[in-house]
């Protein structure tokens, strides 16, 4: 069965021999959060396959985040609301960064994922797979000159940016090649309004985020 408080917004059955899973249902779980449903944790945000013979639910495409900062990254699957088969491909309609329960709306982030049996979806975990991690944002809280501290086990090309909690870009910090080792990337938060922000590092299809506060 589908988890408690999850919003099931669409489903489709596979009748494609090219895709496989003939007769199985693919269910879009668009998430659910209070106050609309009474849920007090983030649930859903995935596509589940229901085995037509056993009735077993199996995660098929999943946003593995558990917090807003992890869930609502525009490049990820965010809020799937419908799916259908187009030939031998499964199309997943994704509303993008949208969660009315926490008043989160970011325009321009909706997309359609098209999955075939041979398709490859980027699943790079920068921390796990490439040894990338934020060590700190200092000072935090900040009021002006700020430094993002990183540790890399391997060299990589990266883009580091700052966003507000709606996902809007507010600062570009760095774009280019980084060698293995420690890095200190400065930026100026003087003109940012009070509140919470996210530092976001993108590289090789993966995204890593770190939260910090501006408080005067």
């Amino acid at each position: 069965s589908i988890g408690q408080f999850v919003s099931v917004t669409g489903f489709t059955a596979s009748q494609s021999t090219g895709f496989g899973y003939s007769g199985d249902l693919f269910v879009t779980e668009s998430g659910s959060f209070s106050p609309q449903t009474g849920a007090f944790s983030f649930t859903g945000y995935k596509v589940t396959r229901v085995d037509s013979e056993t009735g077993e639910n199996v995660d098929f495409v999943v946003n593995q985040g558990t917090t807003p900062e992890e869930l609502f990254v525009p490049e990820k699957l965010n809020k799937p609301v419908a799916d259908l088969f187009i030939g031998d491909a499964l199309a997943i309609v994704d509303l993008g960064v949208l969660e009315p329960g926490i008043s989160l709306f970011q325009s321009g982030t909706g997309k359609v994922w098209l999955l075939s049996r041979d398709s490859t979806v980027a699943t790079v975990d920068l921390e796990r797979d490439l040894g990338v991690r934020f060590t700190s944002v200092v000072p935090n809280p900040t009021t002006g000159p700020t430094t993002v501290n990183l540790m890399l086990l391997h060299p990589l090309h990266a883009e580091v940016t700052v966003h507000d909690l709606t996902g809007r870009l507010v600062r570009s910090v760095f774009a280019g090649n980084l060698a293995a080792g420690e890095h200190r990337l400065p930026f100026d938060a003087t003109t940012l309004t009070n509140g919470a922000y996210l530092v976001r590092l993108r590289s090789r299809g993966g995204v890593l985020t770190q939260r910090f506060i501006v408080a005067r």
Side-chain angles (χ1 to χ4, degrees), residues 97-189:
V97 179
L98 171 66
E99 186 47 75
I102 55 174
S103 300
L104 180 60
F105 305 90
Q106 184 179 349
S107 63
T109 59
K111 54 254 180 195
V112 176
W113 303 92
L114 195 62
L115 304 183
S116 68
R117 189 160 188 156
D118 298 325
S119 65
T120 300
V121 178
T123 56
V124 174
D125 184 313
L126 292 176
E127 189 167 10
R128 180 195 66 203
D129 300 335
L130 298 178
V132 182
R133 64 186 179 94
F134 287 112
T135 53
S136 62
V137 176
V138 291
N140 188 12
T142 185
T143 58
T146 310
T147 302
V148 177
N149 294 315
L150 302 172
M151 173 64 75
L152 309 180
L153 293 184
H154 308 284
L156 80 166
H157 184 89
E159 179 184 13
V160 180
T161 51
V162 175
H163 301 254
D164 63 21
L165 292 188
T166 70
R168 183 176 62 92
L169 174 67
V170 296
R171 286 288 182 281
S172 293
V173 177
F174 176 86
N177 295 317
L178 293 168
E182 296 183 8
H183 294 272
R184 295 175 175 83
L185 307 177
F187 71 96
D188 190 0

Side-chain angles (χ1 to χ4, degrees), residues 69 137-144 146 165 187 189 192-199 210-216:
E69 294 83 3
V137 176
V138 291
N140 188 12
T142 185
T143 58
T146 310
L165 292 188
F187 71 96
L192 298 183
T193 58
N194 286 355
Y197 294 85
L198 300 175
V199 178
Q210 177 72 41
R211 184 169 175 150
F212 71 96
I213 302 293
V214 173
R216 295 182 176 83

Side-chain angles (χ1 to χ4, degrees), residues 53-76:
E53 295 184 359
T54 66
E56 180 185 8
N57 292 353
V58 181
D59 289 346
F60 191 72
V61 182
V62 183
N63 185 333
Q64 296 180 337
T66 58
T67 67
E69 294 83 3
E70 296 169 342
L71 282 166
F72 301 114
V73 177
E75 294 81 7
K76 286 184 177 182

